[in-house]
Structures are given as C-alpha cells and as structure tokens.
Amino acid sequence: MFFKIFALVWVALLQMVLGQDDASSTYTNPVLDSVGADPWVIKNGDYYYLTYTTNDNITLSRSKTLTDWNDADSKLLFKPPMGMNYSTDLWAPELHNIDNKWYVIFTADPMADMPPPEIDMFCEFSCPAVNHRMYVLESNGSDPWESNFTMKGQLNTFDQFAIDGTYFQHSSGLYHIYSCWYRAYDGWPSNLCITKSRVNNFYPVSDPWTVTSNLTSRTILSTPSQPWEQTPYGRSYQPLRLSSNEGPEQLTNPKTNQTFVIYSAARSDNANYCLGQLELVGDDPMNVQDWRKRTDGCVFYQNALEGAYGVGHASFTTAGGADGDAENWIVYHGMRDPSLGWGDRTIRAQRFEWNADGSPKFPRPGYGPYSLPSGA
C-alpha cells in the first residue's frame, strides 16, 4: 500500500513539473495586453525594439523576449508640439538602421483627421486623411535606446496623401514605399507608391529624408484591384471606396535572397483586413514590370474558427541562430471582435516558414499556446 501511495504521489509531482515546464516554454497571443496597432519590431544586439501607433507620440519599447511586452522598458522618443503639420494622429512609426544611424519614419496630420470644409469639398469621397504626410526623425548615435531623436523633415510625397511609409533597401539604392492616392483629393482607393530616396547606397552618404524622384517618376506598384483587397469583399458598388493597399514591409528570404513586399489589403477596421504579397523579380524597384503580384488571395488572413480577425500591418524579425538558420517571426495586429473596429486591435506574434518556391509560408492566425522563440 505504501509503495502504491508513493507511486501516485510521484506521478502527481511529475505531472506538476511537466506542466510547469510546458507553461514556461509557451506563450499566447496577444503579446501585449493593452490595445495596440501597426507594430514594428526590429532586433539589435540582445534586444528587440517595438514601436506602434499611439496617436499622440512615438514611444519605443525594448525587451529581450519577443513574445511578452507587458513588462518591457519604454521611453518617449518624440512628442510633437501643437500647431505643427505633424502634431496629431501619429501612425505606424518604424525604426530603421541606415548607415549606422537610426531613423524613425512615421505619418502624421495637422488637425486630427478633420480637414476644413474648404478642403474636404474637393474630395471624390470624404477624405479625413487628406493632410497625412510622412516624416523622419534622426538619432544622434548608434544605439537606439541611448540616442535622442530630432525631427529632420517631411519626406516629399508631392503634397499628397501619404501613410504607412517604409524604407526599402536594395543594392540599387534606398527607396520609400507608402500608401498613396492617384491625385491629391481622391479619397480612395489607396495604392502602393514607390519613390527613390538616394541614387545608390553611397550617395548621398546619409539623407533618408530626401526624395530624388519627382511626381512623374513616382511609380504605383499595386492597386486594390482584387476582390479580397476591397471592403466588403468584391465590392461592386462605388468599387473604389474602402479599397486599400497599405502597410508595406520589406521581407527577404535569407536563403534564396528573394525580396518581397508584404502589404495590408482591404480596410483596417474590418474583419477581412489581410496581407497581400509583391515579389521583386527584376532589378529595378522603380519599374512596375519588375514586380509580380500574387493575385489568388491573401497570404495571411482571418481565422474565424479561432476568433482572429482583421489581421494585418505586419513586421518581420528573427529569433535564435544566425543568417538562414534563424527562426522567422511575423508580428502583426488583429481583432477578436471586429464589431469594435480599430479599438479592438492588439499585437500578436507567430513563427512562419518558407515555401518551396521561396515565398513566405505564414501560419493561420490564432492565440496559441505556441512554442516560445528560440533563445527566449
């Protein structure tokens, strides 16, 4: 009897230990308990750095763990003064390392997305974001955490709507890809535009806030022509309205060196917000014919069975290993209750793989539990 009781106790203790080990080796989404959208994560040294939309400032967080940001260190990078063209609705900040300096690129507006009637009347549709433009902050050092950041200027988007800008780094130069309209007062659709920021990687030495393209050489890489890029799906009435390409992000396969732009499609407060894919198949990022768009559907999209909706505006990072041996991770926002729209977005992270053709193989979005990143 004694041995039977001892065996039962031993099994119970073993199950407790294994359960604790299992819990400590997994995580669940979201990775930040508070509301958050448009996440950008970049790894530097021992830390991951996170920025996301806060609307009234740019805050930088750092953590040694990719999948838990609740106790991360945070610091204010930039708080704009009132009365400037960039004082309100600061969206989608990104932290980039260029020439061993750090730059924050973000979009902002002078009047909280409430243009006066004298401007709104020119728009094809209601256009609250008509005054959104792109801006750049520069660090004064090589360490993003210890640096101070100052405003360097507005990225030239030809005095037209511009949101969700990112840098696209290529052997032929530095480029700016962002969400744009055809004309100043279109309102919809939102397309993906590209301009050149430097002639090549050596000239100018460091000036990521200057655009060398003019309006006629600006290239529209993608328009929301597919039914899954429209809200509602396949919209047949006023087909341009609520049709959107935005949130472009560069993604490179470390083993094949294939270069992609993963972008968000449809409307960000809607359940069918998802990710689309462009691949650079030629040598000139400014030539639309050198890009191939995947048209058979989203590459990352809602998972109603797990209550994961409106998944998009992603960034990409790695964990463990080096070069091609590292794990690949997608950090994105999503909603549990799409009826709440933008106010229900939270930040999530999941590991992804690569398809045989070299394109990204994203998982189905969900809440887990999932295995922790390597090295966590």
Side-chain angles (χ1 to χ4, degrees), residues 11-27 369 372:
V11 169
L13 289 172
L14 181 62
Q15 288 176 336
M16 290 176 60
V17 171
L18 289 176
Q20 290 172 349
D21 286 346
D22 183 65
S24 65
S25 62
T26 61
Y27 75 97
L372 286 171

Side-chain angles (χ1 to χ4, degrees), residues 5-290:
I5 294 174
F6 176 81
L8 290 173
V9 171
W10 185 85
V11 169
L13 289 172
L14 181 62
Q15 288 176 336
M16 290 176 60
V17 171
L18 289 176
Q20 290 172 349
D21 286 346
D22 183 65
S24 65
S25 62
T26 61
Y27 75 97
T28 57
N29 279 323
V31 296
L32 178 66
D33 290 340
S34 61
V35 171
D38 311 327
W40 169 267
V41 171
I42 186 169
K43 188 176 183 182
N44 184 60
D46 294 331
Y47 287 97
Y48 293 97
Y49 294 88
L50 167 71
T51 59
Y52 60 95
T53 293
T54 62
N55 282 316
D56 62 352
N57 67 58
I58 296 175
T59 297
L60 181 66
S61 299
R62 71 172 184 176
S63 172
K64 292 187 175 181
T65 303
L66 175 61
T67 52
D68 185 1
W69 291 89
N70 291 306
D71 298 317
D73 299 326
S74 294
K75 64 178 291 187
L76 181 68
L77 285 193
F78 180 69
K79 175 74 173 178
M82 295 307 297
M84 307 301 291
N85 287 335
Y86 48 84
S87 292
T88 62
D89 285 350
L90 284 71
W91 297 345
E94 297 184 359
L95 178 69
H96 291 260
N97 187 280
I98 301 170
D99 296 333
N100 204 35
K101 272 195 172 183
W102 293 91
Y103 296 89
V104 175
I105 183 173
F106 67 99
T107 182
D109 178 275
M111 52 189 70
D113 272 14
M114 291 185 291
E118 291 81 1
I119 291 179
D120 189 69
M121 69 181 181
F122 290 111
C123 295
E124 296 286 333
F125 304 96
S126 177
C127 54
V130 65
N131 290 314
H132 260 275
R133 302 290 186 268
M134 296 304 307
Y135 298 91
V136 178
L137 308 177
E138 183 186 45
S139 71
N140 63 352
S142 59
D143 185 330
W145 193 254
E146 300 299 330
S147 292
N148 293 317
F149 285 78
T150 56
M151 171 64 71
K152 294 306 295 185
Q154 178 180 325
L155 265 169
N156 186 12
T157 56
F158 318 109
D159 200 27
Q160 292 188 15
F161 163 85
I163 65 169
D164 293 354
T166 191
Y167 288 118
F168 182 85
Q169 300 193 48
H170 186 259
S171 59
S172 61
L174 181 69
Y175 300 84
H176 176 218
I177 304 179
Y178 62 101
S179 187
C180 65
W181 297 339
Y182 282 109
R183 299 167 301 180
Y185 299 107
D186 280 349
W188 298 99
S190 297
N191 314 293
L192 292 185
C193 282
I194 185 170
T195 55
K196 184 173 283 189
S197 293
R198 67 165 54 159
V199 175
N200 54 52
N201 282 337
F202 304 99
Y203 175 81
V205 174
S206 181
D207 189 353
W209 58 91
T210 298
V211 171
T212 61
S213 304
N214 55 36
L215 179 58
T216 57
S217 63
R218 179 190 74 172
T219 301
I220 295 181
L221 296 180
S222 177
T223 64
S225 57
Q226 303 302 309
W228 45 271
E229 297 176 304
Q230 301 158 4
T231 304
Y233 181 93
R235 185 187 187 102
S236 60
Y237 55 97
Q238 291 186 320
L240 299 181
R241 185 172 179 267
L242 305 184
S243 299
S244 183
N245 286 177
E246 61 185 31
E249 301 298 351
Q250 183 174 359
L251 175 62
T252 300
N253 184 321
K255 292 186 176 180
T256 66
N257 209 36
Q258 290 167 262
T259 300
F260 303 89
V261 166
I262 305 299
Y263 65 93
S264 299
R267 185 168 164 85
S268 59
D269 63 349
N270 195 273
N272 70 325
Y273 196 57
C274 68
L275 296 181
Q277 176 182 295
L278 298 173
E279 182 181 1
L280 183 63
V281 294
D283 298 324
D284 183 5
M286 291 290 289
N287 182 358
V288 67
Q289 300 301 323
D290 281 5

Side-chain angles (χ1 to χ4, degrees), residues 311-331:
V311 293
H313 205 116
S315 61
F316 308 98
T317 190
T318 59
D323 300 325
D325 296 326
E327 296 174 355
N328 297 277
W329 286 77
I330 177 173
V331 183

